[in-house]
Amino acid sequence: MKKTKSKLSIGKLFYNDKFVMVFSVFVAFIMWVVVSTTSQETTIFTVTDIPVTLPELSNDLRFFNTEDLKAEVKISGNAIVVASVTNSDIYISPTDTSKITEPGTYTLNLVPKKSGVKTDYNFESTVSPSKIDVYVDRYAEREITITDKIDVSSVDSSSYASTTILSQQTVKITGAESVVNSIAEVNAEYKFDNTLSKTTVVKAPLVFYDSSGNQITSEYITSDITSVDATVPVLKLKTVDIVPNIINMPDYLDFDNSRIKVTPSEINIAAPDDIIDTIKSISTSEIDFSKINIKNNKVTASLVIPSGCRNLDQITSVDVEFDMTGMTSKTLKIDRFTVINEGNDRKPTVSTKSLDVNVIGPKEQIENLTSAHLTAVIDMQQKNNFIGFVEMPVTININSKFSSCWVYGNYTADVNVVKNQ
C-alpha cells in the first residue's frame, strides 16, 4: 500500500497545548508593546549610580577623593522609554565652580543633564544628593625617612636585642599639598608584649604625625607603602678576654705573659649564634714590641671587633702595660754584619762600620751580655735586582743563652751592591 505524506494543518496546532501557551505569551507581549507605546500614561523611574563629573580647575588646583562620587535622579515619561534610560545617558555636574580659587572645602550644587540619544523623558526631581562637599588643593609629593619605633619590652637574659632593621628606609607620600606638607614624622610602630629569645620579623604599620605630635589620618593623601617588615636581631651574649696583638717579639724571647697587663681585660659582646660560637677572645691592634723599653712600657691599643659582632661595653681601646720590674738596659756596639740572600751575580758590601744597639733584659743576663753575643743580619731578598747603594733594615739576633733579653728600636745599615766580575 502506498503511504501518503500528511499535510501541516494550522487548525490542528491549536489542539497542541504547548503551542497554544507560547502563542498566547507572544500575543500578550505584542499587545503590551502596542498599549505601552500608544498610552499617554506617565511612568516614574529612578536612575541610580550616575557618576558625578567635576570640571578642570585653574591655578593648579584639583579635586581630591572624588573618584567614587555618585548620585541618582527620578525621570518620568513613557514606560518603555524611561525603562531603557541608563546612568550613562545622564550627565550630573556642579552648577558653578568659578568661586573655587584657593585650597579648601566647598559645597557644590548638582544638576542633571541629558547626555545620550534618549531624550524623550523629563527629570521628575532634583539630583540626590543635591549638594556635595568637595576638598580642593594643589598636588604635592614628598619622600620621608621612616623612623624606627619598634618597642621591645624584654629579651631572654642570655640575649641582646640589637638595632631594628627596616625593610624600607623611606616612604613616598602624594596628595593634597596642605596635608602632605603637614607631615613631620613617619613612624614604623609595633610593640612586643612577649619576651624575645630569637631574631624576629614583624610587619609594622606606618603612622604619620604633624610637628605637634598629633596623628594624621587623611583621605586626601596616599603612600606607596603602608607598612614595613621590621627585623629585630636578637643576639647571643658573651664575655671574652682581650688579648694584645704583639708583633716583632723575637721567637726566642722568654717574656712571661704574666708580665703583660691589659686594662680592661674583658669585654661583653653580642653576635648571632654562628658568629659568637667562633669568638674566643678579642684582639687589639698591633703593638710593636721593638718599641717597648724600661721607660716606654705602656701603650694604648684599639680593639679589633669582628664583623657582625656588637661591642656592648662600647670600649674602643685598652691600655697594655709591660712589667719591667728587675729589668735593665745596655748599649753595645756591633761592627760585624752577616749578609744573606745576596744572589749569585751580585756582591753586597756593608758600608756602615758599626751600630750602637740598645738591649733590654733581666739584670743578671744584661751584666754578662757582650757584643760577641749579638749578630747583625741583613737580608737582601727584597733587593735581588738592585745595583748600587741602598739602606737596608738590620735584624739583631741575641745568643740563646740570653733568652730573656731583647733589642729595643729599629736599625738600618748602608749596603753597596755591585755585579760580580
Side-chain angles (χ1 to χ4, degrees), residues 317-350:
S317 62
V318 294
D319 292 330
V320 180
E321 184 175 4
F322 297 83
D323 184 5
M324 294 297 172
T325 303
M327 298 289 181
T328 188
S329 64
K330 176 189 286 187
T331 300
L332 299 173
K333 184 182 293 294
I334 297 179
D335 55 11
R336 294 179 296 110
F337 299 89
T338 300
V339 180
I340 62 175
N341 297 317
E342 58 186 30
N344 295 327
D345 60 344
R346 296 178 304 145
K347 183 178 181 180
T349 302
V350 180

Side-chain angles (χ1 to χ4, degrees), residues 5 34-35 68 98 105 136-137 142 145 166 176 188 197 245 263 276 314-315 334 340 348 370:
K5 294 183 180 180
V34 173
V35 171
D68 296 325
S98 61
T105 301
V136 174
D137 204 342
R142 288 174 63 196
T145 300
L166 302 181
S197 59
N245 179 19
T263 307
I276 202 76
Q314 297 296 307
I315 299 171
I334 297 179
I340 62 175
T370 66

Side-chain angles (χ1 to χ4, degrees), residues 51-52 54 62-70 219-220 222:
V52 176
L54 298 174
R62 64 172 67 178
F63 296 99
F64 285 90
N65 197 34
T66 57
E67 295 80 6
D68 296 325
L69 284 180
K70 293 204 172 36
E219 58 187 347
Y220 306 129
T222 58

Side-chain angles (χ1 to χ4, degrees), residues 226-289:
T226 58
S227 63
V228 293
D229 290 333
T231 302
V232 181
V234 177
L235 311 178
K236 187 176 180 180
L237 298 176
K238 193 174 188 179
T239 301
V240 295
D241 293 331
I242 298 174
V243 178
N245 179 19
I246 301 173
I247 62 171
N248 294 329
M249 178 182 281
D251 295 336
Y252 66 81
L253 183 62
D254 181 18
F255 194 92
D256 193 342
N257 287 336
S258 64
R259 283 178 170 268
I260 304 175
K261 180 182 179 182
V262 180
T263 307
S265 60
E266 295 180 333
I267 185 173
N268 292 307
I269 59 174
D273 290 353
D274 59 336
I275 296 178
I276 202 76
D277 292 341
T278 65
I279 299 176
K280 308 302 180 183
S281 62
I282 294 297
S283 177
T284 69
S285 57
E286 292 181 345
I287 300 172
D288 190 349
F289 189 77

Side-chain angles (χ1 to χ4, degrees), residues 142-272:
R142 288 174 63 196
E143 190 168 289
I144 302 178
T145 300
I146 301 172
T147 302
D148 166 24
K149 292 294 183 180
I150 307 301
D151 185 2
V152 179
S153 57
S154 64
V155 294
D156 185 85
S157 59
S158 63
S159 303
Y160 170 82
S162 186
T163 304
T164 302
I165 302 170
L166 302 181
S167 60
Q168 190 159 320
Q169 304 303 311
T170 61
V171 56
K172 184 178 180 180
I173 303 170
T174 60
E177 183 180 52
S178 58
V179 183
V180 171
N181 291 341
S182 69
I183 300 173
E185 186 173 316
V186 178
N187 296 340
E189 298 185 358
Y190 190 91
K191 180 177 176 59
F192 286 95
D193 296 325
N194 58 313
T195 298
L196 299 184
S197 59
K198 62 180 181 179
T199 297
T200 305
V201 181
V202 296
K203 190 167 288 296
L206 300 183
V207 185
F208 304 159
Y209 293 93
D210 62 19
S211 58
S212 299
N214 300 313
Q215 185 174 339
I216 297 175
T217 56
S218 175
E219 58 187 347
Y220 306 129
I221 57 172
T222 58
S223 58
D224 60 343
I225 57 172
T226 58
S227 63
V228 293
D229 290 333
T231 302
V232 181
V234 177
L235 311 178
K236 187 176 180 180
L237 298 176
K238 193 174 188 179
T239 301
V240 295
D241 293 331
I242 298 174
V243 178
N245 179 19
I246 301 173
I247 62 171
N248 294 329
M249 178 182 281
D251 295 336
Y252 66 81
L253 183 62
D254 181 18
F255 194 92
D256 193 342
N257 287 336
S258 64
R259 283 178 170 268
I260 304 175
K261 180 182 179 182
V262 180
T263 307
S265 60
E266 295 180 333
I267 185 173
N268 292 307
I269 59 174

Side-chain angles (χ1 to χ4, degrees), residues 339 342 347-353 388-390 414-418:
V339 180
E342 58 186 30
K347 183 178 181 180
T349 302
V350 180
S351 301
T352 301
K353 300 303 179 183
F389 280 95
V390 63
D414 293 329
V415 180
N416 182 22
V417 183
V418 299

